Amino acid sequence: MEHKLVILGAGESGIGAALLGKQQGYDVFVSDGSIIKDNYKQELAVNQISFEEGHHSWDIILDANEIVKSPGIPEKSELMKKVRAKGIPVISEIELAYRFSKGKKIIAITGSNGKSTTTALTYHLFKTAGLDVAMVGNIGVSYARQVATAPAEYYVIEISSFQLDDIREFKPDVAILLNITPDHLDRYDYKMENYVASKFRIAMNQTAADYFIYCMDDPEIMQHLAKQPIYSTSIPFTIMKPLKEGGFIANDQVHIEVNGEPVIMSMYDLALKGKHNLYNSMAAGITGRTMDIRKEKIRESLTSFKSLEHRMEYVTTVRGVDFINDSKATNVNSVWFALESIEKPIVLIMGGVDKGNDYDAIRELVKEKVKAIICLGVDNTPIEAALSKDTPVMINTASMHDAVQEAFKQAGKGDVVMLSPACASFDLFKNYEDRGRKFKEEVKQL
């Protein structure tokens, strides 16, 4: 009996799932309600995978043995209601990829903020140690594509709560939970506990032989652990107090005490600056020790890492003004982290599509550090209403060119101009990468 696999959504994860399903001998059909990007269409055609775009053929979809759904499709959509009514098993692309990569070492990273940085840092650490490792998931290529086209011995995976909602057997050797702050609550009936439970699914299949690495300073994580203990070997990290086992800060030094070989280094030697990056660095370091990577390699990796594009990325300095591209900051918490890590006066460019943001979280930091806010978006009223009292200057712009010009006018020698939008980018740009690149282009024209 041929296994009929239907894939809903033809983004990177959907295409990865299609390639892997085809390679494993499944009968694959891809359906996307909107238009599929040309490069993805070519891949489907070359691999002789049938697909449709702009609509859904219910007869084919509801005849599937199994469905892989894109993390972007909400359960309350008409599409998912029909699928659920029919009782067809639904999995995420992560689950499909796991099915065909058992026996490999899997490190899975989730959290509301800092996932990409920690994933890239962990990958850098494994690479530096000479291991055969791939970085996949929400960062770079999809996990399924990697398994289909270039399998590795170690997978470092960045996973969102949406992807965790549809796992069944997925079991990482190491699960990292960085933090939990309100984000995407519209997908979880506006109930924080549903979102928290979704993040904790990362550890649901783990056993005592696996590791669960978590932040002890996060109240949501600690509350949940108190109610629902987990079965894996738990290793915490904290900046509040010394620990017998785990990651902690003492006397301005980072300590990683795992498996008997302590790693100790000055926090000032870390490549990534700012309090939140102490957490990301400890999480990556602990992961390295669970895999028995030598302390010298861990120390070397944590000091040599270069930060990601669009995430607190230094662009250049023009007449004493530093420019930083933090376009990936699409929620308020990310902006909080960005402001928190900078010591100089800041001219902040922010705005875009507001997902009902609560700007209260950054008001104190704005008062303390931000000398001007340059709004960049089609509708800047929410930002004006929330923050105009907390900064001396607020200017409206509707293009990246104007935003950068205005920001440069407001900035003096020794200041920082930072693009850290707190919003999605779809009003003026294709995506946050496009927004970040346009920012860099405009800065280079100054």
Side-chain angles (χ1 to χ4, degrees):
M1 231 334 259
E2 206 162 20
H3 186 85
K4 289 184 192 159
L5 182 71
V6 167
I7 291 158
L8 299 177
E12 174 57 34
S13 76
I15 300 299
L19 296 173
L20 181 58
K22 173 84 176 175
Q23 185 201 54
Q24 297 295 336
Y26 291 172
D27 173 9
V28 180
F29 179 71
V30 177
S31 175
D32 196 312
S34 44
I35 298 303
I36 302 174
K37 283 186 188 158
D38 288 344
N39 54 324
Y40 288 150
K41 265 194 278 211
Q42 274 170 322
E43 275 192 285
L44 292 170
V46 166
N47 289 282
Q48 297 173 328
I49 296 168
S50 43
F51 65 90
E52 63 181 358
E53 58 180 343
H55 66 277
H56 293 297
S57 300
W58 295 112
D59 50 338
I60 303 177
I61 293 170
L62 298 176
D63 189 38
N65 301 114
E66 187 171 49
I67 286 175
V68 170
K69 95 171 169 86
S70 148
I73 301 172
E75 280 294 324
K76 30 181 169 312
S77 62
E78 184 202 1
L79 182 61
M80 288 316 295
K81 282 185 182 147
K82 288 191 180 178
V83 166
R84 295 294 182 194
K86 188 96 196 291
I88 302 164
V90 176
I91 59 170
S92 62
E93 169 257 331
I94 298 285
E95 178 72 18
L96 183 72
Y98 177 72
R99 187 178 293 171
F100 300 108
S101 57
K102 289 189 178 141
K104 307 299 185 193
K105 289 283 186 215
I106 293 164
I107 291 87
I109 298 163
T110 198
S112 304
N113 288 294
K115 291 190 289 286
S116 299
T117 299
T118 305
T119 303
L121 187 52
T122 305
Y123 169 74
H124 173 67
L125 202 147
F126 281 48
K127 259 316 226 198
T128 305
L131 298 172
D132 171 22
V133 58
M135 174 168 74
V136 297
N138 276 5
I139 184 169
V141 304
S142 57
Y143 177 23
R145 177 193 291 274
Q146 190 81 34
V147 173
T149 57
E153 287 304 310
Y154 291 83
Y155 293 96
V156 179
I157 315 172
E158 178 189 322
I159 305 189
S160 71
S161 55
F162 298 161
Q163 289 164 313
L164 291 169
D165 287 337
D166 293 296
I167 60 168
R168 299 286 168 271
E169 291 173 25
F170 175 74
K171 179 181 86 72
D173 298 85
V174 180
I176 299 175
L177 179 52
L178 292 165
N179 47 53
I180 305 179
T181 55
D183 195 10
H184 307 299
L185 289 186
D186 52 330
R187 285 276 290 263
Y188 295 100
D189 299 328
Y190 296 99
K191 291 195 177 89
M192 187 67 180
E193 64 270 28
N194 296 358
Y195 178 57
V196 173
S198 168
K199 290 284 187 202
F200 268 91
R201 287 174 66 84
I202 198 167
M204 74 181 194
N205 297 314
Q206 286 192 313
T207 65
D210 304 310
Y211 292 94
F212 177 70
I213 299 171
Y214 67 96
C215 179
M216 243 174 99
D217 303 342
D218 187 290
E220 295 287 351
I221 293 177
M222 297 311 282
Q223 258 176 307
H224 189 89
L225 283 175
K227 288 190 302 224
Q228 248 177 319
I230 50 178
Y231 301 109
S232 33
T233 302
S234 300
I235 305 179
F237 53 90
T238 172
I239 63 173
M240 301 302 189
K241 60 178 190 194
L243 301 173
K244 280 203 178 55
E245 184 177 50
F248 62 93
I249 310 291
N251 307 326
D252 288 353
Q253 286 187 307
V254 180
H255 292 250
I256 291 164
E257 302 273 353
V258 179
N259 292 350
E261 195 180 328
V263 183
I264 302 172
M265 57 188 290
S266 162
M267 58 189 250
Y268 302 110
D269 291 342
L270 292 174
L272 294 170
K273 304 299 177 218
K275 186 170 91 179
H276 58 291
N277 279 319
L278 289 174
Y279 290 128
N280 299 339
S281 298
M282 286 191 285
I286 293 169
T287 305
R289 284 304 300 133
T290 63
M291 294 288 146
D292 290 323
I293 292 174
R294 299 302 304 252
K295 62 181 177 186
E296 298 75 29
K297 290 290 179 200
I298 292 176
R299 212 180 282 124
E300 182 192 328
S301 308
L302 296 180
T303 52
S304 63
F305 180 70
K306 298 273 181 287
S307 80
L308 296 168
E309 190 181 11
H310 313 299
R311 167 52 85 216
M312 292 303 289
E313 174 197 12
Y314 168 75
V315 183
T316 186
T317 302
V318 185
R319 282 185 248 149
V321 178
D322 292 346
F323 286 84
I324 292 177
N325 166 26
D326 193 36
S327 182
K328 196 171 188 297
T330 55
N331 61 30
V332 175
N333 267 70
S334 297
V335 179
W336 186 93
F337 286 124
L339 293 172
E340 187 267 335
S341 67
I342 290 177
E343 298 307 324
K344 301 170 170 181
I346 301 166
V347 175
L348 180 61
I349 302 175
M350 63 188 297
V353 182
D354 182 316
K355 300 181 283 191
N357 286 345
D358 178 3
Y359 294 101
D360 279 354
I362 57 172
R363 286 187 60 180
E364 288 309 311
L365 281 170
V366 168
K367 274 184 198 151
E368 184 193 329
K369 300 186 173 192
V370 176
K371 58 192 282 191
I373 291 179
I374 313 297
C375 299
L376 169 62
V378 171
D379 175 17
N380 299 318
T381 43
I383 295 173
E384 286 170 28
L387 297 172
S388 55
K389 293 190 187 70
D390 303 308
T391 183
V393 180
M394 190 167 273
I395 296 170
N396 258 309
T397 62
S399 73
M400 187 59 82
H401 175 79
D402 294 352
V404 169
Q405 293 288 336
E406 287 293 346
F408 192 43
K409 266 185 218 159
Q410 294 298 324
K413 205 172 165 186
D415 293 349
V416 171
V417 169
M418 176 166 67
L419 169 70
S420 192
C423 301
S425 51
F426 312 122
D427 55 346
L428 297 171
F429 307 97
K430 287 209 255 322
N431 46 35
Y432 75 80
E433 292 96 339
D434 175 46
R435 173 168 67 188
R437 278 185 216 114
K438 296 253 172 31
F439 174 70
K440 292 194 282 189
E441 281 159 24
E442 290 298 340
V443 169
K444 286 176 179 144
Q445 302 296 315
L446 287 170

